[in-house]
Amino acid sequence: MMTGISLAAIVNVLLFTFLVMTAIAIVRVRHLFAVAMLSGVFSLLSAGLFVALDAVDVAFTEAAVGAGISTVLMLGTMALTVTREKTTKRSPVLPVFVCVVTGAALVYSTLDMPAFGTAQAPIHEHVAPDYIARTPDDIGVPNIVTGILASYRGYDTLGETTVIFTAAVAVILLLGSFSRKKQKRTDKE
Amino acid sequence: MQEVVLDLEFIIGHYNYWLFVILMMTGLYITVSRGNLIKKVVGLNLFQTSVFMLYISMGKIEGGTAPILTGDPNTVYSNPLPHVLILTAIVVGIATTALALALVVRIGEEFGSIEEDELIEIEHELDFAEESAEASPVPGQGDANKGEPGGK
């Protein structure tokens, strides 16, 4: 058991080191194509971390959506705009200060949190055991996450679908042929 | 707040959360300090993914397995609720990213730039032009300024 825990810890720390290196590279690189690729790498590494943390459904959603679709969207945006970032003349002192203060506040707030992996943490005491116990009889699918997502919390998923629909309509209104044609007509006038 | 003892056990139990805070702050730094709008969106994505990791790490139980029924009554499952929340959050996140990038494309078409510094300058110029047009109404000047920034 002990070796199992330390192995998981090693994997976590290793993945995290890669994540931090990718994040720092994203800060420093100015070529936006590289930034898009690095953000895909970041998503893929986080998917690996999700597998290590037992969240397999989240891992393959993140790999498909974060590393796949959002990279494609970024490449598309770059094709329509620019591929290089310009240097700013602004001083980085204020952003660094804001990040350090926010980070310190967040770290301070984690001190009250239960230790990582404890089975007695408040998060595991309320509805979650109930869902796990009832899923086989109520829903009958072996994947508990699917059971909760589609049945117990089905309204959340409906709300999510509404959000996607709204975003899709907004994107079509912003980039669709209707607004472009109108734009061209006003340009001619 | 209860007394916090900073011994090794406490650090091992909490370093995960601190690592995620570091990643979150890297994302925040990119969003705040970079002028390029696409890079700001990337920073926002980084921040978002770190929040996901924080949530998922809370649901992990030591010695537990992925919440897929094994049939063995003694199996310990990690908490499936954060997984469900984050699945929803990932999909909502890609929707907001798509919207943000669409706005970036429109801003680029309209003003010919997606750098924050240049956009602020263009905005100042437009404000100034508007004010001077109000002060001395020259016929046709308002139209000329309206078409100017796009340039194409």
Side-chain angles (χ1 to χ4, degrees):
Chain A
M1 197 65 209
M2 199 57 221
T3 51
I5 290 168
S6 55
L7 192 68
I10 290 168
V11 169
N12 281 1
V13 168
L14 208 65
L15 279 172
F16 179 79
T17 315
F18 283 132
L19 280 169
V20 169
M21 281 175 357
T22 317
I24 291 172
I26 292 175
V27 175
R28 298 197 61 83
V29 169
R30 299 218 166 270
H31 201 285
L32 289 175
F33 180 76
V35 169
M37 288 302 132
L38 284 168
S39 114
V41 168
F42 188 89
S43 285
L44 203 62
L45 286 169
S46 64
L49 198 62
F50 289 146
V51 173
L53 296 172
D54 289 348
V56 283
D57 304 77
V58 180
F60 65 62
T61 311
E62 178 68 34
V65 171
I69 298 174
S70 69
T71 310
V72 171
L73 288 178
M74 266 164 214
L75 291 178
T77 311
M78 250 175 269
L80 291 169
T81 53
V82 295
T83 53
R84 273 202 88 83
E85 180 195 7
K86 286 180 188 160
T87 47
T88 59
K89 286 166 224 99
R90 285 181 296 173
S91 130
V93 176
L94 187 64
V96 166
F97 177 73
V98 167
C99 291
V100 168
V101 170
T102 319
L106 285 171
V107 167
Y108 176 70
S109 67
T110 62
L111 299 183
D112 265 351
M113 283 173 72
F116 171 73
T118 40
Q120 287 80 36
I123 186 175
H124 307 306
E125 301 274 299
H126 298 282
V127 285
D130 202 39
Y131 282 144
I132 293 172
R134 280 167 50 184
T135 298
D137 299 327
D138 281 0
I139 306 185
V141 290
N143 192 334
I144 303 168
V145 174
T146 311
I148 297 175
L149 190 76
S151 181
Y152 293 118
R153 308 293 314 169
Y155 278 115
D156 286 3
T157 311
L158 186 67
E160 173 196 332
T161 319
T162 319
V163 171
I164 300 166
F165 176 72
T166 316
V169 169
V171 170
I172 290 168
L173 285 177
L174 278 170
L175 301 179
S177 54
F178 177 71
S179 54
R180 290 284 167 80
K181 258 180 230 155
K182 217 168 113 193
Q183 178 77 22
K184 269 179 199 155
R185 217 184 307 136
T186 44
D187 278 356
K188 267 178 205 162
E189 284 167 13
Chain B
M1 188 177 156
Q2 73 201 54
E3 198 60 41
V4 172
V5 192
L6 271 176
D7 56 3
L8 188 66
E9 198 185 337
F10 182 82
I11 292 173
I12 288 175
H14 287 74
Y15 76 91
N16 269 67
Y17 304 134
W18 302 333
L19 301 182
F20 298 141
V21 169
I22 292 174
L23 280 182
M24 257 182 241
M25 287 310 110
T26 317
L28 185 66
Y29 176 75
I30 296 174
T31 311
V32 176
S33 70
R34 299 292 125 166
N36 188 291
L37 295 181
I38 295 179
K39 205 149 176 191
K40 273 180 194 286
V41 175
V42 173
L44 218 55
N45 270 342
L46 229 70
F47 189 97
Q48 198 180 337
T49 313
S50 320
V51 175
F52 297 164
M53 289 183 223
L54 180 71
Y55 264 71
I56 297 294
S57 78
M58 285 187 224
K60 167 81 177 161
I61 295 179
E62 208 62 76
T65 174
I68 296 170
L69 295 171
T70 54
D72 178 6
N74 294 323
T75 319
V76 178
Y77 299 108
S78 284
N79 196 330
L81 267 183
H83 303 184
V84 176
L85 281 177
I86 296 311
L87 276 179
T88 309
I90 288 176
V91 177
V92 171
I94 193 72
T96 49
T97 305
L99 187 56
L101 290 174
L103 279 170
V104 170
V105 170
R106 282 298 288 143
I107 288 170
E109 281 180 355
E110 195 72 27
F111 299 105
S113 166
I114 57 165
E115 299 286 337
E116 199 183 13
D117 298 340
E118 293 176 14
L119 286 171
I120 290 171
E121 245 168 61
I122 291 170
E123 200 183 5
H124 279 311
E125 276 168 26
L126 281 177
D127 282 349
F128 181 70
E130 227 167 68
E131 272 168 26
S132 57
E134 273 171 24
S136 55
V138 183
Q141 193 184 350
D143 294 343
N145 280 324
K146 209 190 281 172
E148 190 186 37
K152 293 169 219 163

